[in-house]
Amino acid sequence: MPLALLALAISAFGLGTTEFVIMGLLPDVADDLHTTIPTAGYLVSGYALGVVIGAPLLAAVTTRMPRKALLLSLMGLFTVGNTLSALAPGFGWLLAGRVLSGLPHGAFFGVGAVVAAGMVEPARRARAVSLMVAGLTVANIVGVPAATLLGQHLGWRVTFLAVGVIGLAAIAGIAALVPRIPLAPGGGLRRELSAFRSGQVWLALGTTIFGFAAVFAVYSYVTPLLTEVAGFAESSVTLVLALFGVGATIGNLLGGRLADRALRPSLLGGLGALAFVLLLFTVTAHARWSAALTVVLLGIAAFATGSPMMMLVMDKARHAPSLASSANQAAFNLANAGGAWLGGVVLAQGLGYTAPAVAGAALAVTGLVIAGAAALSERRASAVPVVGASGSRLVVSGRPPVRERVR
């Protein structure tokens, strides 16, 4: 694998760290800026809003920009956003810094996935993407706990300055290691938008939304599940959540390998496994050891679908993948918000802390149905006979073409 993937992984590490570290620093930020914790929670939503807006918008307005220069610009914007957050004189400025930091997130992962896949031979494309995404999963194991600890001891501003330093390291790595990638002839916004004429692209985006919403329906409320149902002490929850990061890293790398071998089957199998693990959680959550094991399995099942989802969108938008890939990153964040909302609705009905796992399983099955319908539609379309001028019929069924005589 090219060393350039390390630069992309470092970038993903910084993006993942700054996205999730704010959750552990909310009390410190609220106390320092004289606001309430619920109000400080808008800093989480502000980053997510930046991702959803920035992913398609920045990808759309930069379609004629060389991809290496675009990656450098996106990480530059990320670094500026985190520096502004560190120096913010008040809550409003900090919120603006969070939104600014989130703007390049989705576009970077969208374009970065295209760049990573383009640097290797076709048989290793998904593995290349998974190595880039590994920076995000490792951030949940190492980056977020370390940055949270740093902020709690030296102040939350130091955390954002440290993330800004990671951004500078990523810029240096991209500049030194990522090759210049020429723009495809005839590229531009019109060509990128043409990818959305494909029903397969929309089905792939729908699979992402429902498939990953299944994860966040549970993960958003996993802390009370672990303390109230499994019986963990609050001080132990951080360690258990680190196990989720370990599982996510394993699942991400496994998903990349499986997707290179068989993209559709790996996605369908991953969604089926995710639904099973979520249902299993309703049983295993009542004991600490089994709950901890299931958290690892949830991380594996969830992120084993990540690379296949990203590759499927890029494959279906093969001639203009950048905007569609960035839109898929927005879909991941819509899944985050939608899954958390549905899990909250279920909890509000008084059905207990394991009920979001059932809702998550239903979402995973919905994603599986969408992915299955897309596969069936593609198979039917490929089997339509094409009649040539010579009176012969070319039957296309995913195998080598067989020419039959039309009677």
Side-chain angles (χ1 to χ4, degrees):
M1 287 289 176
L3 191 59
L5 292 175
L6 176 61
L8 298 180
I10 292 172
S11 304
F13 180 84
L15 289 162
T17 298
T18 202
E19 179 179 14
F20 296 111
V21 73
I22 189 63
M23 298 174 187
L25 296 177
L26 283 182
D28 302 89
V29 172
D31 182 62
D32 186 51
L33 297 181
H34 309 292
T35 188
T36 64
I37 289 181
T39 299
Y42 290 130
L43 299 173
V44 179
S45 303
Y47 189 92
L49 179 65
V51 177
V52 173
I53 294 174
L57 180 62
L58 292 179
V61 300
T62 57
T63 53
R64 295 190 179 276
M65 190 173 183
R67 285 172 178 165
K68 179 175 181 176
L70 176 56
L71 292 175
L72 289 169
S73 299
L74 291 172
M75 287 310 297
L77 184 61
F78 168 80
T79 303
V80 169
N82 279 280
T83 303
L84 176 61
S85 298
L87 302 177
F91 180 78
W93 282 101
L94 178 55
L95 181 59
R98 291 291 293 169
V99 174
L100 187 62
S101 300
L103 285 174
H105 181 116
F108 184 91
F109 275 104
V111 177
V114 175
V115 171
M119 287 192 292
V120 298
E121 61 270 23
R124 297 169 69 87
R125 294 171 71 230
R127 269 172 284 183
V129 172
S130 70
L131 286 175
M132 179 192 73
V133 177
L136 176 66
T137 58
V138 171
N140 283 282
I141 305 172
V142 180
V144 173
T148 301
L149 192 64
L150 183 68
Q152 290 171 344
H153 285 80
L154 300 179
W156 60 269
R157 297 179 186 274
V158 177
T159 293
F160 288 112
L161 284 175
V163 174
V165 172
I166 296 174
L168 291 175
I171 291 172
I174 293 171
L177 300 175
V178 175
R180 293 185 180 274
I181 302 172
L183 289 174
L189 180 57
R190 180 174 297 181
R191 180 173 179 174
E192 292 288 338
L193 288 173
S194 67
F196 294 95
R197 296 174 187 169
S198 168
Q200 286 290 332
V201 170
W202 288 105
L203 288 171
L205 292 174
T207 301
T208 296
I209 291 173
F210 283 95
F212 246 71
V215 180
F216 286 103
V218 177
Y219 192 70
S220 301
Y221 307 98
V222 72
T223 295
L225 175 65
L226 292 173
T227 55
E228 300 297 328
V229 180
F232 280 99
E234 289 186 6
S235 58
S236 303
V237 170
T238 301
L239 178 60
V240 179
L241 294 184
L243 293 178
F244 178 85
V246 172
T249 302
I250 295 171
N252 172 57
L253 297 176
L254 177 64
R257 286 186 170 273
L258 293 176
D260 277 331
R261 294 185 178 184
L263 179 55
R264 287 280 193 190
S266 65
L267 177 57
L268 294 172
L271 289 169
L274 178 58
F276 174 77
V277 171
L278 288 169
L279 289 176
L280 182 67
F281 211 174
T282 63
V283 178
T284 60
H286 298 278
R288 279 178 288 183
W289 71 269
S290 56
L293 177 60
T294 310
V295 167
V296 177
L297 294 177
L298 179 61
I300 294 173
F303 279 81
T305 63
S307 294
M309 286 175 180
M310 294 170 71
M311 289 305 306
L312 186 62
V313 170
M314 287 193 289
D315 278 357
K316 299 310 165 189
R318 185 170 300 148
H319 301 294
S322 295
L323 183 55
S325 181
S326 296
N328 199 39
Q329 297 303 314
F332 277 116
N333 278 268
L334 288 174
N336 186 337
W341 171 80
L342 182 59
V345 169
V346 171
L347 283 176
Q349 302 303 312
L351 299 176
Y353 286 113
T354 60
V358 179
L363 288 169
V365 170
T366 303
L368 180 61
V369 169
I370 295 173
L376 183 61
S377 173
E378 187 177 51
R379 181 175 298 180
R380 286 178 176 174
S382 66
V384 174
V386 180
V387 179
S390 62
S392 62
R393 180 175 60 194
L394 190 64
V395 180
V396 184
S397 59
R399 300 177 179 177
V402 178
R403 193 171 294 277
E404 298 180 352
R405 192 70 187 173
V406 178
R407 297 180 180 178

